[in-house]
């Protein structure tokens, strides 16, 4: 499982600006979040496949750099200027003025709330106002996921141990009950996702997976955050349990 900020770019021209998304990503202190929220027990994630999943390609991972200074510089170069009264950046696109002020739907779960509070503080430093909308997880699942009525949403994708990510990124899954929460649409990605499902040639499939990771990362439909560690508590004299990568909690019983 990994968590990410999924971005509905259709809600504002500012979110269609690649420089804005790059700056937002650069202003997320993933290291601080994993240490303060999880006590270091989480893996930083930068791409749509986890390093623990078959098919993950390290060379296709864009990596991650936290720099408030560089993020601000990117927005400066893109002519997003700070309003001295509000501290929020804005820019005229066409005939309309747009501000870098966004709403983020947050399921009411403590670690997600803590994550977002750190982001609010850091984004403010680059002239971006983030307004969290904290809602009951059941309401998020039953209402907002159905209607896709959000600018941004922080949510988790469960990959299990399978590199098949069709349901999260194929354009046919953009609307309920699909799980493409970013409403992402890329025909090349669609073709790769379809081919990967049918391709039985290991080497060829591996190349397609690497290309898939690269394309999605370049398009930045989401800001990938982390994958929390699953903690299993047992007495010291407990025998027969071996540490392993598990996709869901019940997987710990696989070898019983």
């Amino acid at each position: 499982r990994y968590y990410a900020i999924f971005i509905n770019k259709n809600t504002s021209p500012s979110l269609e600006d690649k420089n804005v998304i790059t700056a937002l990503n650069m202003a997320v202190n993933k290291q601080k979040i994993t240490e303060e929220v999880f006590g270091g027990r989480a893996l930083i994630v930068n791409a749509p496949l986890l390093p623990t999943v078959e098919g993950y390609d390290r060379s296709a991972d864009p990596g991650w750099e936290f720099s408030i200074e560089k993020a601000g510089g990117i927005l400066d170069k893109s002519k997003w200027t700070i309003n001295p009264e509000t501290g929020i950046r804005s820019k005229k696109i066409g005939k309309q003025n747009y501000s870098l002020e966004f709403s983020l739907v947050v399921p009411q779960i403590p670690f997600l709330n803590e994550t977002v509070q750190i982001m609010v503080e850091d984004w403010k430093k680059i002239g971006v106002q983030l307004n969290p909308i904290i809602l009951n997880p059941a309401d998020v699942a039953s209402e907002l996921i159905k209607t896709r009525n959000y600018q941004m949403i922080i949510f988790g994708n469960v990959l299990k141990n399978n590199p098949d990510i069709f349901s999260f990124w194929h354009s046919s899954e953009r609307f309920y009950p699909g799980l493409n929460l970013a409403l992402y649409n890329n025909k090349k990605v669609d073709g790769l996702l379809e081919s990967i499902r049918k391709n039985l040639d290991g080497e060829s499939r591996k190349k397609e997976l690497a290309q898939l990771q690269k394309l999605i990362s370049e398009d930045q439909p989401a800001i990938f955050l982390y994958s929390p560690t699953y903690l299993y508590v047992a007495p010291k004299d407990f025998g027969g349990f071996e540490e392993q990568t598990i996709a869901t909690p019940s997987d710990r019983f696989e070898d019983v």
Side-chain angles (χ1 to χ4, degrees), residues 62-209:
W64 164 78
E65 178 186 9
F66 171 69
S67 174
I68 294 295
E69 189 177 307
K70 285 185 182 179
I74 289 169
L75 294 175
D76 287 336
K77 284 181 182 177
S78 300
K79 303 289 191 297
W80 289 95
T81 56
I82 294 179
N83 183 324
E85 293 180 10
T86 63
I88 302 172
R89 291 180 186 266
S90 63
K91 178 181 178 179
K92 195 169 185 179
I93 301 175
K95 294 181 179 179
Q96 197 169 338
N97 207 49
Y98 292 91
S99 296
L100 294 187
E101 181 172 0
F102 307 114
S103 61
L104 171 64
V105 171
V106 187
Q108 197 166 15
I109 299 169
F111 71 83
L112 293 181
N113 296 344
E114 292 172 41
T115 296
V116 171
Q117 285 311 309
I118 293 171
M119 288 176 54
V120 167
E121 293 168 15
D122 285 334
W123 283 12
K124 194 171 185 179
K125 294 172 187 173
I126 63 168
V128 177
Q129 177 73 37
L130 182 63
N131 302 315
I133 302 171
I134 300 171
L135 299 171
N136 184 299
D139 293 336
V140 173
S142 64
E143 297 297 328
L144 291 182
I145 296 296
K146 278 186 179 180
T147 62
R148 301 294 201 258
N149 185 23
Y150 49 78
Q151 271 195 312
M152 300 181 182
I153 186 169
I154 185 168
F155 214 73
N157 280 352
V158 180
L159 298 184
K160 299 197 174 178
N161 287 320
N162 192 327
D164 178 12
I165 53 176
F166 183 100
S167 59
F168 303 123
W169 300 108
H170 194 276
S171 63
S172 66
E173 302 289 314
R174 283 176 295 164
F175 305 106
Y176 188 80
L179 295 173
N180 181 349
L181 301 183
L183 283 79
Y184 180 58
N185 187 0
N186 182 315
K187 294 303 175 190
K188 284 186 180 178
V189 167
D190 283 355
L192 285 168
L193 288 166
E194 291 161 15
S195 177
I196 287 164
R197 279 192 156 182
K198 297 179 285 187
N199 194 346
L200 300 178
D201 182 272
E203 282 305 308
S204 171
R205 193 165 182 257
K206 195 174 177 183
K207 287 177 183 176
E208 288 181 332
L209 280 163

